[in-house]
Amino acid sequence: MDKKHLIITSITLGVIAASSALLIGVTNLITKDKISQNEKEKIVSGIKAIFGNESKIKEESPINESIFAGEYKYINYVYTISDNSDVLIGYAFKTSGSNNFGKITMLVGYTSTKIYKSVYMISDEQTFASTLEDEYVTKITDNPDYQDVDVHCGATYGATLVKEMIDEVKGAVNK
Amino acid sequence: MNIFISFILAILSSMLIDNVVLSRFYGICPFLGVSKKVNSSFGMGLAVTFVIILATLICWPLYNYVLLPAGIQYLDTVAYILVIASLVQLVGLFIKKFSPSLYKSLGIYLPLITTNCAVLGVAQSNTDQGLTFLNSIANAVGTSLGFLLIIVVFSTIRVRLESANTPKAFKGLPIALITAAIMAIALMGLQGLFQGLI
Amino acid sequence: MKRNKGYTKANFLKGILIENPLFVSILGTCPALATTKSIEAAIGMGLLFTFVLICSNILVSLLRKLIPEEVRTPAYIVIIATFVTIVKMLTQAFLPELYSTLGVFISLIVVNCIVLGRAEAYASKNNVFDSLIDALGMGLGYMVALFTMAFFRELLGTGGFTFGKIFTFIPTYKLQIIPKGYEIKLFQNPAGAFIVFGLILATIACIKNRKEAYKAYLDKQEKIRKAQEAKNVGGNK
Amino acid sequence: MTQTGYIILAISILVGLLIIFIVSFVLYRKTPLPKGCEDMKMSEEKCTSCPNNSCAFHKKEEDKE
């Protein structure tokens, strides 16, 4: 391959790569804050699903800066929830964990009187996500005695992971 | 011990229950165009298995140790397609240079693998699902074995389909699709088998 | 096709009817079987696919004289991958519901046989306007094909059509045609996708056979009539 | 390593990947076929349906026409 031809090819490919990088960068600038805003909205709608429509986030902090600080495997964020007249009604813990079928991120809601309120699934990319959703998660939402819901439900590994997360949150709340 | 069991279960589940062709629909293009000869489809299956496992070995660390700390996860698809395409070319180069016999059996399929949806599908879903390294290897091994199994079984059935007297309109692809549907129903039954475990 | 007046119209209609990418040249079957669980997902997938196809066809035909012959495919793969990443980011931001429903299949457009095929077969040989029309035709044809698949799968699978679940700006509305307990759940499963796709291909093949048989019948009639006339002319002389 | 350091590292790795891909693509096209495989034929119908025009067997199709 003669020299000149090689240079032309590498220049054109370089221009294509640079222009595509530029295009991606520009779209990223446009969509970056919108995506994080979407995530925020998802959490707010989750909290509304757990604590009712008039609940709102009073303050939020990573777990280790909040009053529940400690050594946790799943919990990474905690939200204190209050209703419209700023009365504390409970806490929502954002937990995320994964097993060999995928990652689960969810919100676990506890009332201020340390009773398990409900669970909201933010993102469930497990392979058997739909079976987990129908067979287990719907059974433990708004069901105080989630302990005796059977874990063998066609998505056993996913269900045990969800249960471990709730138990860890229970430990944190009762601290 | 528990790790080993869950590793085997992950391979079994992505091989049989959540089969890549019949329930997740990655890799239908080669599945429909599979040729009648069993050894050629076996050759294609082996080539795809080799590329899937190699691709996962490279794509997973690339995502978690290069893209994630840099915060540019949205470039994952570009990175994966580059890795897979260059893998196919390098493997082809290697086979062409060093083993003509292997090239004779596998060489035909190498250009097809870049447009094979299963390879990129597995690499992309491994990181989208946030699997750990061990689990994504298990998923890759299970998926490629499942792909190999289904391709070989389907090519044997397709040989029988030629001699069956199907109605004129169903000749060729439509009857192959109906048999694939019956195979998918059979695999759906397997999900009950692992009800307690998976 | 030489550049006569109806070229652009034929070029556009080719994608939808004569060379429909899914039902005639059987390309891009992976997303077609997977994302046609509901009409909205199918239309969403069709829109994203058409957007990527149009952008990549335009850019490919713009650069067709610049890119040297032997590095054509890598350059096309890079261009298509860029547009797919852009589409993925846009859907994640503006249509999050569609993004979570389609999941991996948005990034699978990169390996979609149609996009690379059209880029190499058509866009690299024709000017920008023709490639744009070709991309529009192909994209619309693919969306129509996805829509028909999704129409049958959702009607039979869930007994009706739900709107507003994925495109959240439409008011949610559920049209129930088949009464609640009588729908066939199989069509929502993967096996149903194979059945619907197989049956549609069979009907197309049947129509084609029927047409050919009819034409053959007409030719036979024609031949018999000509033979008749030849005999009469021979007789009167 | 700061955030921008990671970004530069990631982008350089991606550019490296792109270069490896292009170089291997060109080399794959250049290396001659091994001795015994010149006349390898793909089954006819499969070759036409696959759109990968740059694949070696398509070249043979076009030369024939």
Side-chain angles (χ1 to χ4, degrees):
Chain A
M1 272 222 285
D2 56 359
K3 262 282 163 272
K4 204 168 68 58
H5 183 63
L6 188 72
I7 296 167
I8 297 170
T9 28
S10 46
I11 289 174
T12 34
L13 288 177
V15 161
I16 294 174
S19 56
S20 62
L22 193 77
L23 266 170
I24 293 181
V26 164
T27 359
N28 179 35
L29 287 181
I30 301 168
T31 57
K32 198 204 308 248
D33 46 10
K34 192 72 172 61
I35 291 177
S36 52
Q37 192 205 336
N38 282 350
E39 252 124 47
K40 198 83 185 67
E41 265 160 33
K42 196 119 171 67
I43 291 174
V44 164
S45 63
I47 284 164
K48 281 199 166 33
I50 297 176
F51 290 98
N53 270 351
E54 68 295 329
S55 60
K56 58 179 172 42
I57 304 177
K58 204 157 93 173
E59 33 115 359
E60 59 182 271
S61 66
I63 186 71
N64 287 339
E65 282 142 24
S66 72
I67 44 174
F68 305 100
E71 185 48 46
Y72 296 116
K73 196 163 152 234
Y74 299 115
I75 312 176
N76 39 36
Y77 233 79
V78 72
Y79 302 88
T80 40
I81 315 292
S82 63
D83 57 15
N84 290 355
S85 50
D86 257 1
V87 166
L88 173 76
I89 43 176
Y91 303 96
F93 295 81
K94 179 161 173 287
T95 63
S96 72
S98 77
N99 60 12
N100 53 25
F101 292 104
K103 200 156 86 88
I104 295 182
T105 340
M106 65 180 196
L107 280 171
V108 183
Y110 262 76
T111 60
S112 48
T113 55
K114 294 187 170 48
I115 301 162
Y116 162 80
K117 183 85 172 53
S118 176
V119 154
Y120 179 81
M121 199 64 81
I122 295 176
S123 84
D124 179 354
E125 286 125 11
Q126 291 250 329
T127 330
F128 298 99
S130 49
T131 12
L132 179 69
E133 185 67 31
D134 317 335
E135 305 290 325
Y136 187 72
V137 173
T138 35
K139 291 201 181 100
I140 57 170
T141 33
D142 296 325
N143 159 8
D145 39 23
Y146 67 90
Q147 302 287 1
D148 26 344
V149 173
D150 187 2
V151 171
H152 287 279
C153 63
T156 323
Y157 277 88
T160 32
L161 179 67
V162 167
K163 198 149 187 259
E164 272 159 30
M165 288 198 221
I166 302 176
D167 295 345
E168 189 180 71
V169 168
K170 189 161 176 252
V173 166
N174 295 343
K175 195 180 283 196
Chain B
M1 195 46 195
N2 191 359
I3 305 273
F4 185 65
I5 293 175
S6 70
F7 189 75
I8 297 293
L9 270 180
I11 291 185
L12 262 178
S13 87
S14 51
M15 176 173 163
L16 289 172
I17 297 140
D18 202 25
N19 188 284
V20 77
V21 178
L22 291 179
S23 76
R24 280 194 282 175
F25 289 128
Y26 309 153
I28 299 285
C29 319
F31 173 71
L32 290 179
V34 85
S35 66
K36 316 288 181 294
K37 295 191 295 303
V38 178
N39 51 33
S40 66
S41 55
F42 193 76
M44 158 177 253
L46 276 183
V48 167
T49 311
F50 183 68
V51 174
I52 283 185
I53 295 175
L54 219 58
T56 326
L57 280 174
I58 297 171
C59 288
W60 194 86
L62 181 72
Y63 181 83
N64 285 35
Y65 298 123
V66 173
L67 293 183
L68 217 54
I72 46 168
Q73 291 97 318
Y74 47 83
L75 281 183
D76 55 359
T77 314
V78 177
Y80 294 159
I81 193 70
L82 284 180
V83 165
I84 290 169
S86 35
L87 256 180
V88 166
Q89 302 302 334
L90 289 175
V91 165
L93 209 59
F94 187 78
I95 291 182
K96 240 182 188 177
K97 273 223 170 52
F98 295 110
S99 66
S101 63
L102 200 59
Y103 185 77
K104 198 181 268 291
S105 58
L106 294 185
I108 312 171
Y109 301 109
L110 283 177
L112 286 178
I113 293 182
T114 18
T115 60
N116 182 340
C117 316
V119 188
L120 181 66
V122 167
Q124 181 78 41
S125 70
N126 275 348
T127 47
D128 280 1
Q129 281 180 350
L131 296 173
T132 61
F133 185 63
L134 198 63
N135 293 334
S136 59
I137 295 291
N139 190 8
V141 168
T143 319
S144 34
L145 290 181
F147 181 79
L148 183 66
L149 171 81
I150 291 293
I151 282 261
V152 170
V153 163
F154 194 63
S155 69
T156 47
I157 294 177
R158 236 179 160 168
V159 173
R160 295 293 306 283
L161 275 181
E162 294 307 313
S163 50
N165 45 19
T166 50
K168 198 163 178 314
F170 274 85
K171 274 247 178 311
L173 210 52
I175 193 65
L177 281 165
I178 306 289
T179 33
I182 298 167
M183 282 167 75
I185 295 173
L187 279 189
M188 237 171 17
L190 276 179
Q191 197 150 7
L193 180 70
F194 289 87
Q195 186 79 16
L197 293 171
I198 296 295
Chain C
M1 286 185 249
K2 61 177 180 31
R3 279 274 340 160
N4 51 28
K5 201 178 67 50
Y7 177 71
T8 8
K9 199 164 76 61
N11 190 6
F12 179 75
L13 287 180
K14 165 191 77 166
I16 299 174
L17 295 169
I18 314 150
E19 257 179 56
N20 187 303
L22 186 61
F23 291 146
V24 174
S25 35
I26 325 273
L27 295 171
T29 44
C30 310
L33 291 170
T35 57
T36 51
K37 268 207 171 66
S38 72
I39 290 189
E40 281 187 317
I43 293 178
M45 184 67 193
L47 287 174
L48 297 187
F49 174 80
T50 317
F51 175 79
V52 170
L53 190 59
I54 289 175
C55 298
S56 87
N57 256 13
I58 293 173
L59 203 60
V60 161
S61 63
L62 267 173
L63 299 171
R64 67 183 186 286
K65 292 199 177 56
L66 295 169
I67 305 176
E69 183 56 30
E70 71 273 6
V71 271
R72 241 168 10 137
T73 317
Y76 295 162
I77 290 182
V78 166
I79 292 171
I80 297 171
T82 358
F83 283 117
V84 169
T85 330
I86 292 169
V87 154
K88 203 158 76 152
M89 283 194 277
L90 288 176
T91 24
Q92 202 171 0
F94 298 110
L95 287 164
E97 206 48 54
L98 182 64
Y99 180 77
S100 56
T101 322
L102 296 184
V104 184
F105 285 97
I106 300 178
S107 6
L108 279 187
I109 298 179
V110 171
V111 272
N112 197 321
C113 316
I114 305 173
V115 185
L116 195 58
R118 285 329 288 176
E120 292 210 355
Y122 196 88
S124 60
K125 300 188 179 78
N126 301 66
N127 60 34
V128 183
F129 179 63
D130 289 345
S131 333
L132 174 66
I133 297 291
D134 172 75
L136 257 173
M138 278 292 162
L140 226 62
Y142 194 60
M143 191 147 68
V144 160
L146 286 183
F147 178 78
T148 29
M149 288 261 299
F151 177 82
F152 290 114
R153 274 193 72 189
E154 193 174 6
L155 178 64
L156 297 173
T158 58
F161 304 104
T162 53
F163 299 100
K165 200 157 79 64
I166 289 175
F167 298 118
T168 42
F169 39 84
I170 315 173
T172 54
Y173 171 70
K174 175 129 179 48
L175 172 70
Q176 187 73 14
I177 299 168
I178 304 175
K180 197 75 189 87
Y182 292 91
E183 77 272 6
I184 311 159
K185 261 247 166 292
L186 176 73
F187 284 100
Q188 284 288 311
N189 294 347
F194 279 119
I195 291 178
V196 166
F197 191 37
L199 289 181
I200 290 178
L201 288 183
T203 29
I204 291 176
C206 178
I207 294 166
K208 211 189 290 170
N209 297 348
R210 196 63 57 82
K211 222 182 262 177
E212 268 148 27
Y214 184 63
K215 205 184 284 124
Y217 171 74
L218 283 184
D219 295 350
K220 206 147 61 46
Q221 292 310 84
E222 193 60 33
K223 237 184 257 98
I224 293 165
R225 217 165 34 72
K226 256 207 206 67
Q228 216 72 23
E229 275 156 22
K231 205 146 50 16
N232 304 354
V233 163
N236 320 357
K237 211 185 268 109
Chain D
M1 273 274 268
T2 61
Q3 175 78 359
T4 49
Y6 269 118
I7 290 181
I8 295 162
L9 176 76
I11 290 175
S12 55
I13 288 181
L14 285 180
V15 168
L17 265 177
L18 184 66
I19 293 167
I20 293 169
F21 172 39
I22 291 167
V23 165
S24 59
F25 189 84
V26 170
L27 283 181
Y28 183 76
R29 285 287 164 277
K30 285 279 175 298
T31 46
L33 283 170
K35 293 174 294 318
C37 320
E38 278 73 17
D39 52 5
M40 265 203 298
K41 231 187 76 36
M42 174 81 95
S43 51
E44 213 43 70
E45 25 74 35
K46 203 162 139 184
C47 199
T48 40
S49 73
C50 139
N52 190 347
N53 302 61
S54 71
C55 102
F57 296 92
H58 264 277
K59 288 283 178 307
K60 282 206 193 85
E61 307 300 327
E62 275 135 23
D63 313 340
K64 252 186 275 160
E65 278 131 25

